[in-house]
Amino acid sequence: MTSTTNNGEEKIPFWRDQRFWRVALQVAAVVLVIILLSVLFRNLTGNWTRRGTRFTYSFLTNAASFNIGETLISYTPNDNYARAFLVGLLNSLRVILLGFIFTTIVGTVAGIASFSENWLVRQISRVYVEIVRNTPLLLQLIVWYFTVFLRLPRPDNQIILFNSFYLSNTGIHIPWPSGSLLTWLSVLVLIAGTIVAFMLWTWRTRLIVERGESGQPQLIGIGAIAVISLLLLIFGLGWQIPQSPSSGQVQGGLRLSSEFCGLLFGLTFYTGAFIAEIVRGGIQSVSRGQWEAARSLGLHSGLVMRLVVFPQALRVIIPSLNSQYMNLAKNSSLALAVGFPDVFSVAATSLNQTGRSVELILIIAATYLLLNLIISVVMNQLNRAVQLKER
């Protein structure tokens, strides 16, 4: 059935109007979501009423009354739950940040190695990727923890490397900076030197590619910065070398527990396999003509990869890296499987003691959501920086 408007045009009934149904369906979807949330909230409040409890975070000020094996800040069982969560969060951040660094190195090296002209290197890269990415992460964590780090000798028969590294099934002791004022000043100088060296390297690359110059002055500057940095690394950081005054005891340096090492190694090599495939795909996205053009300039394979192919591949690699970094942050919650006290593990212990399941689940969800939003923002900024700018 149709009618005619004042302008003589045929008027479509509303039940045959697609615009009406689009709006109506969206309104219906919103109403259904509101009804569902209302039912869930009513069910939740009803359960709280029957149990004689209510939604509150007042328990965060109560004494946690449980011990945490590894802490970056002072903590005792008499401290409250809020401080226990802070300890767990710092432990999670330690694993995540180190995981970003190591997994990027492993993934990039494995991805580039898949293009190696050496048959053995190329096959090792492929075998590593196929084995690691096709087995569950939880299984790999268990393998690293139980069959690698817990299989190290007992402390009274520990492995000593260069009189500086002590390895046993309770953990690994490594040299570590003292944390004095000189140490922090040296760190600041090293950071500044790294930035200046990167700028010089970029300048030198542009001169070589665009003008065909040797870039020798910039290379000398980078060499000077490298020498100064090396001296600061050796003498400026005030390294504390672990010492073993008696059998089974180690003092000084930094102790990395077996749980931490198992988790870090598992996350690193698991995520690194996926990053290797991302790097491989990014390199393959660069057209064959770019490879041939670079070789026609007389550049050897290493320079072709570093100066021509890899910078272009970054535009494809970085968006996918974003997802892998977020996966690594979320996968760190599997620390519970190897007994490492991350924020998820601390929350699980708190839940068992307080019974505040909703409040603690919201804390965990908000923590990982915030971490991933920060990662996403940083990676999006990096992605914009490497994209081509149209003039």
Side-chain angles (χ1 to χ4, degrees):
M1 178 183 294
T2 59
S3 59
T4 306
T5 63
N6 294 333
N7 298 329
E9 297 177 354
E10 186 177 294
K11 184 178 180 181
I12 302 174
F14 72 89
W15 62 84
R16 293 174 54 191
D17 191 340
Q18 291 186 355
R19 293 172 298 179
F20 167 78
W21 286 111
R22 288 195 191 110
V23 175
L25 289 174
Q26 292 181 53
V27 171
V30 172
V31 170
L32 283 175
V33 170
I34 292 174
I35 292 174
L36 179 62
L37 292 177
S38 300
V39 170
L40 292 175
F41 183 74
R42 186 176 177 180
N43 184 48
L44 180 64
T45 53
N47 289 333
W48 278 335
T49 303
R50 282 190 290 274
R51 293 173 54 189
T53 59
R54 58 187 177 84
F55 184 83
T56 177
Y57 280 107
S58 60
F59 71 93
L60 291 176
T61 58
N62 298 337
S65 303
F66 62 86
N67 195 22
I68 299 179
E70 294 184 48
T71 63
L72 292 178
I73 58 176
S74 63
Y75 171 82
T76 65
N78 293 326
D79 289 323
N80 56 34
Y81 283 105
R83 190 167 183 84
F85 284 124
L86 178 60
V87 171
L89 178 61
L90 292 176
N91 284 340
S92 292
L93 290 176
R94 180 166 58 137
V95 171
I96 292 170
L97 293 177
L98 287 175
F100 286 167
I101 297 172
F102 293 137
T103 201
T104 303
I105 296 172
V106 171
T108 304
V109 171
I112 293 176
S114 65
F115 293 91
S116 173
E117 296 176 356
N118 186 301
W119 180 86
L120 181 59
V121 173
R122 196 167 60 247
Q123 295 307 314
I124 289 174
S125 170
R126 297 308 307 157
V127 169
Y128 156 66
V129 170
E130 294 304 327
I131 289 178
V132 172
R133 75 170 181 164
N134 290 311
T135 50
L137 172 60
L138 181 59
L139 176 64
Q140 294 182 35
L141 290 178
I142 291 173
V143 169
W144 277 109
Y145 178 58
F146 287 100
T147 66
V148 177
F149 291 101
L150 286 188
R151 290 292 180 182
L152 289 172
R154 295 169 57 86
D156 53 1
N157 193 28
Q158 60 194 348
I159 300 172
I160 304 174
L161 300 175
F162 309 110
N163 286 328
S164 301
F165 299 87
Y166 295 80
L167 288 72
S168 70
N169 58 10
T170 61
I172 300 173
H173 292 261
I174 62 174
W176 192 251
S178 61
S180 64
L181 178 61
L182 178 61
T183 301
W184 289 110
L185 289 175
S186 300
V187 170
L188 290 176
V189 173
L190 285 171
I191 294 173
T194 303
I195 295 172
V196 173
F198 177 76
M199 295 172 66
L200 285 174
W201 183 266
T202 306
W203 184 18
R204 178 174 180 270
T205 302
R206 191 168 61 247
L207 289 176
I208 293 174
V209 174
E210 296 179 357
R211 301 183 185 179
E213 298 181 6
S214 65
Q216 194 69 18
Q218 291 78 17
L219 187 60
I220 294 173
I222 294 172
I225 292 174
V227 172
I228 295 172
S229 299
L230 183 61
L231 293 175
L232 284 175
L233 281 173
I234 296 174
F235 301 107
L237 297 183
W239 293 97
Q240 290 183 338
I241 307 299
Q243 302 290 332
S244 180
S246 60
S247 178
Q249 291 187 350
V250 180
Q251 296 177 350
L254 177 67
R255 175 181 174 272
L256 303 175
S257 70
S258 298
E259 293 78 16
F260 174 80
C261 293
L263 177 64
L264 182 62
F265 274 68
L267 289 175
T268 296
F269 284 97
Y270 180 78
T271 312
F274 290 90
I275 291 180
E277 282 299 275
I278 292 172
V279 171
R280 189 169 71 90
I283 293 174
Q284 285 182 330
S285 70
V286 178
S287 67
R288 205 65 198 167
Q290 296 290 320
W291 291 77
E292 294 170 355
R295 288 195 183 102
S296 70
L297 294 175
L299 300 177
H300 61 73
S301 300
L303 284 177
V304 170
M305 179 64 72
R306 182 166 57 83
L307 298 179
V308 179
V309 176
F310 201 70
Q312 298 183 67
L314 280 177
R315 301 183 187 105
V316 179
I317 292 172
I318 289 180
S320 300
L321 275 184
N322 190 1
S323 298
Q324 292 306 318
Y325 288 155
M326 288 193 288
N327 285 339
L328 188 148
K330 289 180 287 187
N331 289 337
S332 68
S333 61
L334 289 174
L336 190 63
V338 294
F340 181 71
D342 72 327
V343 66
F344 188 88
S345 175
V346 171
T349 305
S350 303
L351 191 153
N352 290 332
Q353 293 193 174
T354 63
R356 295 287 180 181
S357 55
V358 176
E359 292 90 339
L360 288 165
I361 288 173
L362 288 177
I363 288 178
I364 297 171
T367 301
Y368 285 102
L369 176 63
L370 182 61
L371 287 174
N372 281 298
L373 287 176
I374 293 173
I375 293 169
S376 182
V377 168
V378 173
M379 292 303 294
N380 286 335
Q381 292 296 325
L382 183 59
N383 185 39
R384 290 193 188 95
V386 301
Q387 294 299 317
L388 287 174
K389 307 288 189 306
E390 294 187 4
R391 301 175 181 174

